[in-house]
Amino acid sequence: MNKLAMLALVSLVMGTSIQSCKKSNTTENPGPEPETEKTFSVGGLVMDPDGSYLFQNSTLSTGEISFLGKGANVTSQEPGFLAFMVKDGYYYSYQSSENTLTKYRYVNQKLETVKVIPFVLAEGYRYNHQWIDNSNLLIYGYQGAYKIVNVESMTVTKEGKFALPAKTGLTGPVVGFAEVKDNKMHVGYWYGDEKYPAAVKAGKTNYATGTAYFAVFDYPAMNNPVYSEDNRSTSPGNDRNGVLKTFRYNDDLYILTSPFEMVAQNWDRPHGIYRIKKGASIVDPTYFYNLSEKLNGDAVLGGGYAGNGKLLIRRIRMDVALTWASYGFGNVQEFHVLDMATGVLTKLDLPLAKSQPTAPNILADEGKVYFPVNTKDIDGNFYIYSYDSATGKLERGIKVNDVDGVNGLFRTK
């Protein structure tokens, strides 16, 4: 079994619930939800009985919610780790096993189907997405096939495959991010080596080669590619849907790398941040922020850009993440804030949090970043905390009851 297939299997073992999507007709005249100024969604993982649930709420800052007999049971509607794509009150779920893309809305604690369309995407069992604008959704597979969907009409308006070169003797390319910015499609990718070369770190093996690759195309034509590469890190972006890959600061594009063993696996390259400057088509050779160097060599996977030059990152404490199960259910996460202007990295004063680092459970919204912290060992609860980029204030928000993990946070409308 090659490494890509093995990683896909691991995602199943780590709590991903990939089940068949039940096709249904368009729901007619569903009862409306009460209007609120904002709506957020919290995803909950329940182990007994095994399932995933979704609960809409008007705030993440105060009060409490319970998943005991409440919330939409979405176990058969989402493809694992609550990897919905959410915009303007609607949820979109791509089911590679069913070759369907479904549009839902939340009605009376249930997800009701609005429309379902056929959707075939090569190697789509591992996919990602980016909102190009409010109406157009880019969905791409981990080896470069992509489709752009107009979500108002639920029609595919463009499709193809990123023109990324193959390399003799290597697996891939594997796409870590794709993002439209300034009429350019930016793509980051990496290659794997099935021979598992020895790593410098004792007892470890590498899979990803030690180079990060980038391609920039004219958009929407998707021609005139400009390629660049850099060996200060590898695996730009990550292959987990909804987990932070890129962010924009001073209108430049910044890219997190993820040589973490659950994604690309290269023990000899650090986790860090690359930059492609506005107007440029190649990675900036003068900039690389080495996160691992600041974090005792630890891994970083995802986070949230709060704005005001403040980036929240999720650190995996490798000294306590000693087994595969630790990544799913151990208290192994720390949260830090990077000040992009000064380069100062500051640890937030929080207990070690429960893991599930591949879940889309960190939400950036209007100058704040929301994220779950497991305090079950302290007071038996989960809370959603927020970090305010303008004030630097850390606040404990809504209490989440009756779940074994928070595996999704979304701004619904």
Side-chain angles (χ1 to χ4, degrees):
M1 180 182 293
N2 67 28
K3 179 62 185 285
L4 291 176
M6 197 162 72
L7 287 174
L9 179 61
V10 166
S11 70
L12 294 175
V13 175
M14 293 303 297
T16 306
S17 181
I18 300 178
Q19 300 191 22
S20 296
C21 175
K22 297 179 181 178
K23 300 182 182 69
S24 58
N25 297 323
T26 299
T27 300
E28 296 181 1
N29 302 319
E33 287 291 305
E35 289 293 326
T36 60
E37 185 178 349
K38 290 184 184 180
T39 305
F40 297 92
S41 297
V42 180
L45 173 68
V46 178
M47 299 300 295
D48 187 18
D50 185 20
S52 290
Y53 296 82
L54 195 68
F55 196 102
Q56 282 196 177
N57 206 57
S58 61
T59 180
L60 295 177
S61 299
T62 60
E64 61 183 274
I65 59 175
S66 170
F67 282 84
L68 188 62
K70 298 179 181 178
N73 186 333
V74 296
T75 308
S76 64
Q77 292 169 305
E78 56 88 18
F81 285 119
L82 279 182
F84 287 113
M85 299 160 280
V86 182
K87 179 74 76 174
D88 294 335
Y90 294 100
Y91 300 81
Y92 302 86
S93 177
Y94 165 50
Q95 294 276 7
S96 63
S97 59
E98 296 289 317
N99 291 322
T100 57
L101 178 68
T102 306
K103 181 177 183 177
Y104 297 101
R105 57 184 158 193
Y106 190 99
V107 179
N108 298 327
Q109 298 192 50
K110 292 181 180 179
L111 280 193
E112 299 283 4
T113 300
V114 175
K115 191 170 184 178
V116 56
I117 63 171
F119 199 84
V120 179
L121 186 68
E123 307 295 345
Y125 66 86
R126 188 66 68 81
Y127 71 95
N128 274 297
H129 81 279
Q130 189 233 349
W131 287 97
I132 297 174
D133 54 40
N134 287 339
S135 300
N136 292 288
L137 172 63
L138 167 68
I139 303 176
Y140 54 97
Y142 79 100
Q143 290 195 315
Y146 71 87
K147 295 192 178 202
I148 297 175
V149 183
N150 181 295
V151 296
E152 294 177 357
S153 62
M154 287 295 284
T155 57
V156 175
T157 60
K158 188 175 184 62
E159 59 186 302
K161 187 169 184 177
F162 301 130
L164 306 175
K167 288 189 176 292
T168 303
L170 299 179
T171 301
V174 180
V175 176
F177 78 89
E179 179 164 349
V180 175
K181 180 181 182 292
D182 300 328
N183 300 315
K184 301 285 186 179
M185 176 73 80
H186 296 75
V187 180
Y189 56 104
W190 52 273
Y191 297 89
D193 188 343
E194 297 292 350
K195 296 178 182 178
Y196 278 77
V200 172
K201 199 171 282 190
K204 302 294 185 181
T205 55
N206 291 336
Y207 174 65
T209 66
T211 304
Y213 296 86
F214 305 87
V216 178
F217 305 87
D218 289 345
Y219 179 83
M222 294 300 294
N223 57 10
N224 298 322
V226 177
Y227 302 102
S228 60
E229 61 185 71
D230 194 288
N231 63 8
R232 288 172 291 180
S233 187
T234 185
S235 56
N238 62 74
D239 60 358
R240 304 303 172 126
N241 191 39
V243 176
L244 182 73
K245 303 158 182 44
T246 65
F247 62 97
R248 302 178 192 191
Y249 170 59
N250 287 340
D251 211 17
D252 298 330
L253 182 66
Y254 288 80
I255 302 112
L256 280 75
T257 70
S258 57
F260 186 32
E261 62 178 325
M262 288 191 74
V263 179
Q265 190 165 309
N266 187 304
W267 299 95
D268 299 337
R269 289 292 186 268
H271 293 248
I273 304 174
Y274 282 115
R275 176 172 69 186
I276 299 178
K277 291 186 68 66
K278 179 178 174 60
S281 293
I282 63 171
V283 66
D284 185 350
T286 70
Y287 179 88
F288 180 75
Y289 190 93
N290 191 325
L291 287 164
S292 293
E293 186 176 62
K294 305 282 187 178
L295 298 172
N296 194 37
D298 281 347
V300 170
L301 188 59
Y305 180 62
N308 297 307
K310 302 299 193 300
L311 172 70
L312 181 137
I313 61 164
R314 170 168 44 198
R315 173 190 187 181
I316 312 298
R317 282 275 303 276
M318 302 303 289
D319 60 325
V320 291
L322 301 177
T323 67
W324 276 105
S326 300
Y327 296 144
F329 300 102
N331 291 329
V332 301
Q333 290 184 167
E334 285 182 353
F335 294 97
H336 296 249
V337 172
L338 172 62
D339 186 323
M340 297 297 296
T342 65
V344 174
L345 188 65
T346 304
K347 180 185 178 297
L348 296 182
D349 185 16
L350 292 166
L352 283 175
K354 198 168 189 176
S355 195
Q356 298 181 42
T358 59
N361 57 5
I362 300 178
L363 171 66
D365 181 66
E366 296 185 350
K368 293 185 178 182
V369 177
Y370 299 89
F371 53 98
V373 175
N374 171 34
T375 58
K376 279 182 172 286
D377 295 339
I378 301 170
D379 57 14
N381 300 307
F382 278 92
Y383 288 92
I384 306 301
Y385 277 74
S386 67
Y387 171 80
D388 190 314
S389 65
T391 65
K393 191 174 183 180
L394 179 67
E395 290 188 318
R396 191 175 75 178
I398 193 169
K399 179 182 174 184
V400 184
N401 297 312
D402 309 309
V403 292
D404 296 295
V406 175
N407 59 352
L409 287 178
F410 308 102
R411 169 73 182 272
T412 309
K413 62 181 179 181

